[in-house]
Amino acid sequence: MSDLWTRKRRVLVRGLSTLYYEAGEGPAVLLIPGIASDARNWFRVMGELATTHRVIALSLPGLGGTSPGVDVHPVTMAAFVADFLDVLEVPSVIAVGHSFGGGVAAELALDHPDRVSRLVLVNACGLGRAVHPIAIALALLPKRGADALSGVVSFPGGAGALALSSKLLLRQPWQIPPMTWKAQYVLARSRQSLRTSLEVFRACGGITGQRESILVIDRLREITVPSLVIWGGTDPLFPVWQGRDASRRLPKGRFTVLLGAGHVSYLDNHEEFMDALGPFVRDDLPGAPTPEPANTGRDQQ
């Protein structure tokens, strides 16, 4: 997708300068990235959905260009997202969240059910205790150590950390467009984004894995809108059985495994990802509420 088709915008949400990208018109789709990833990673997805929908890719506070200042717990982040939608005068969205963003999307559907008409969880956190040991190690870093690590990694030459994280999160890195690698490199040099990412690890994880306080698996039956769970079949961060279990607990849930894809499955296997997401977003699904048109008013400065 060309940058010419994507509008980069900022609005004030709770006094914080909030970055988002937008394309297309129609019912709203909200794309929420995980940590250590960038809203621009969604550009290929935006390009395909923008033919029928208004697609919004949001940078969460402290990550990828939005000012910090919000507690990083998924519940707090979901409340921020609801306020963001208020500023944009968007009544409801099809919420698509990846990894930590999936946990935020699930909390948005639980705590603000009128704001979510359909839900898509992509390799999402909060669906079980199990997590890769590296995530546990990062969660156990003391704050001072995390700050020091974010400083070292953001220095010139710290791109080795990008290569290491890519090896963990991706299974088919040759599938990733150059512009996405460029956005990831810039993000890896941002000390603020790295610091916030490590805060998320500490808030969401502990010695036994994902913290009880972020788990939503036992509350999924409260989400009554059509829901789709997409998982990379070789995700080393969160095991694939967590996604399968979540889809069975969602009253209107369905499950898709992307074979050969890792944690960032929408980049690893874009074509199959869109084969699953596209019809779910566009089709007239039984039991789905009719999307309300979004107000496309002017941005705040």
Side-chain angles (χ1 to χ4, degrees):
M1 175 178 178
S2 169
D3 290 356
L4 294 175
W5 296 99
T6 309
R7 298 180 291 275
K8 180 179 180 180
R9 292 182 168 174
R10 285 188 178 272
V11 291
L12 289 175
V13 182
R14 299 186 188 177
L16 300 179
S17 177
T18 302
L19 173 66
Y20 69 100
Y21 298 87
E22 184 176 18
E25 297 180 352
V29 178
L30 178 66
L31 305 174
I32 309 174
I35 63 173
S37 61
D38 191 280
R40 289 170 291 182
N41 290 0
W42 291 111
F43 276 7
R44 292 175 75 191
V45 175
M46 293 178 73
E48 298 198 34
L49 295 182
T51 58
T52 54
H53 286 71
R54 178 186 181 188
V55 192
I56 302 163
L58 171 65
S59 290
L60 293 171
L63 298 165
T66 291
S67 299
V70 173
D71 181 85
V72 298
H73 192 283
V75 171
T76 310
M77 286 288 194
F80 178 88
V81 172
D83 290 344
F84 168 74
L85 296 177
D86 285 341
V87 172
L88 265 59
E89 299 183 30
V90 175
S92 65
V93 296
I94 299 173
V96 183
H98 169 251
S99 193
F100 175 68
V104 174
E107 291 288 1
L108 182 68
L110 287 164
D111 296 342
H112 309 271
D114 57 319
R115 311 310 296 264
V116 178
S117 61
R118 303 180 192 188
L119 176 66
V120 184
L121 303 177
V122 185
N123 299 78
C125 75
L127 302 180
R129 287 277 197 176
V131 68
H132 194 282
I134 288 181
I136 294 177
L138 292 173
L140 295 178
L141 275 176
K143 186 177 187 305
R144 184 172 297 179
D147 288 344
L149 179 61
S150 64
V152 170
V153 172
S154 64
F155 286 156
L162 174 62
L164 178 63
S165 63
S166 298
K167 186 175 182 180
L168 174 65
L169 302 178
L170 297 168
R171 285 293 178 264
Q172 303 181 62
W174 57 89
Q175 301 274 17
I176 313 304
M179 68 175 184
T180 301
W181 281 118
K182 181 180 178 181
Q184 282 300 111
Y185 178 77
V186 172
L187 189 69
R189 296 290 304 278
S190 167
R191 186 168 185 175
Q192 180 57 63
S193 291
L194 292 168
R195 184 184 295 115
T196 302
S197 295
L198 291 171
E199 286 180 16
V200 170
F201 276 113
R202 294 201 308 277
C204 296
I207 196 167
T208 59
Q210 297 188 67
R211 292 187 186 276
E212 184 73 28
S213 63
I214 73 158
L215 297 184
V216 297
I217 188 68
D218 291 331
R219 299 174 59 203
L220 293 181
R221 297 194 187 282
E222 301 172 28
I223 300 176
T224 58
V225 296
S227 303
L228 173 64
V229 181
I230 304 177
W231 221 267
T234 58
D235 183 354
L237 194 61
F238 302 133
V240 68
W241 59 260
Q242 289 183 352
R244 184 179 296 110
D245 184 32
S247 68
R248 290 170 176 168
R249 294 178 184 238
L250 287 159
K252 297 176 183 177
R254 52 177 82 175
F255 184 55
T256 297
V257 177
L258 306 184
L259 298 178
H263 183 64
V264 194
S265 54
Y266 66 96
L267 292 179
D268 255 341
N269 198 334
H270 173 77
E271 288 73 20
E272 288 192 26
F273 179 82
M274 291 307 306
D275 285 346
L277 181 66
F280 181 80
V281 167
R282 297 190 180 104
D283 290 354
D284 184 11
L285 301 178
T290 302
E292 299 181 53
N295 187 306
T296 55
R298 296 179 181 178
D299 298 346
Q300 295 184 12
Q301 297 298 321

